[in-house]
Amino acid sequence: MFKKLPAYHLSNMVVGLVLYPFCAILGLPAPHPATVRSLAHVMAVTSTVTVPLPDGKGTTVRVTGVAEQRVSHLAIHILILICLTAGSVLRYVPQPIIIGIFLYLGIASIRGNQMFDRLFVLFTFERERWPTYYYVQDVDRREMTRFTLLQAGIVCTLVAISRVSQIAIVFPFLMATMVPVRLYLIPKFFSKEAIDVLDR
């Protein structure tokens, strides 16, 4: 699938060693991941096919390839720069339109996300109607339910904290704690087989 994985690590190294110190010295705001835009971009450069599930109860999206390039990244940020200089024109765009665009991008990025797929499965109370996703077939139902609810709880907690201005400053530190939580805490409560399937 990915053929240039070291390039992504190199990008993170450049951000960590060059951009963050540069912004700190000049008192500029630090760059941060724009989740909705980033997910929308990844989906835009991903080739997928819709395939039927083995039992015929619905379909699923299968990734067939990713266009690994830097042209679209460059174009996106050039457009952002243009928008910064065109504030006098953009202020005439109604705010509901802007909110609608971000709402659409957010909802569109849910498609194919395993956590949301599992949440939708949990709300299908008749088990015989569950779609035959591989994680539904390969993982115990109780374990999948606990893992999904834990994931959703963590996401809701992080989003809630990021929205409260008085404590939002701790958001990056909480994000950083997710790494040791995943590596050391989660394996104590879930089997390795379940984690390998559910945390793909």
Side-chain angles (χ1 to χ4, degrees), residues 92-165:
Y92 293 107
V93 177
Q95 192 172 12
I97 291 178
I98 297 174
I99 294 173
I101 290 172
F102 280 99
L103 182 62
Y104 167 77
L105 291 173
I107 293 174
S109 65
I110 291 176
R111 178 173 172 262
N113 184 296
Q114 190 195 117
M115 187 189 80
F116 286 103
D117 285 344
R118 281 190 267 112
L119 281 171
F120 295 143
V121 166
L122 294 182
F123 283 105
T124 306
F125 297 105
E126 299 176 22
R127 192 171 182 184
E128 60 272 10
R129 296 183 60 191
W130 282 14
T132 52
Y133 296 128
Y134 65 89
Y135 44 82
V136 173
Q137 301 295 313
D138 299 341
V139 180
D140 177 70
R141 182 178 55 128
R142 290 188 183 90
E143 202 159 25
M144 184 186 78
T145 300
R146 287 191 294 117
F147 190 88
T148 303
L149 294 177
L150 175 65
Q151 264 190 319
I154 289 173
V155 170
C156 291
T157 301
L158 291 174
V159 170
I161 289 173
S162 70
R163 297 300 177 198
V164 180
S165 57

Side-chain angles (χ1 to χ4, degrees), residues 10-22:
L10 180 61
S11 296
N12 289 331
M13 186 185 76
V14 169
V15 169
L17 295 181
V18 179
L19 288 183
Y20 283 129
F22 181 76

Side-chain angles (χ1 to χ4, degrees), residues 9-74:
H9 296 298
L10 180 61
S11 296
N12 289 331
M13 186 185 76
V14 169
V15 169
L17 295 181
V18 179
L19 288 183
Y20 283 129
F22 181 76
C23 292
I25 291 171
L26 297 181
L28 298 172
H32 64 283
T35 309
V36 172
R37 177 169 57 80
S38 300
L39 287 173
H41 177 256
V42 169
M43 292 179 66
V45 296
T46 301
S47 301
T48 61
V49 292
T50 302
V51 295
L53 294 172
D55 62 354
K57 297 178 182 176
T59 60
T60 186
V61 177
R62 181 175 297 165
V63 176
T64 58
V66 178
E68 298 177 86
Q69 40 73 42
R70 295 187 181 273
V71 176
S72 56
H73 292 278
L74 179 62

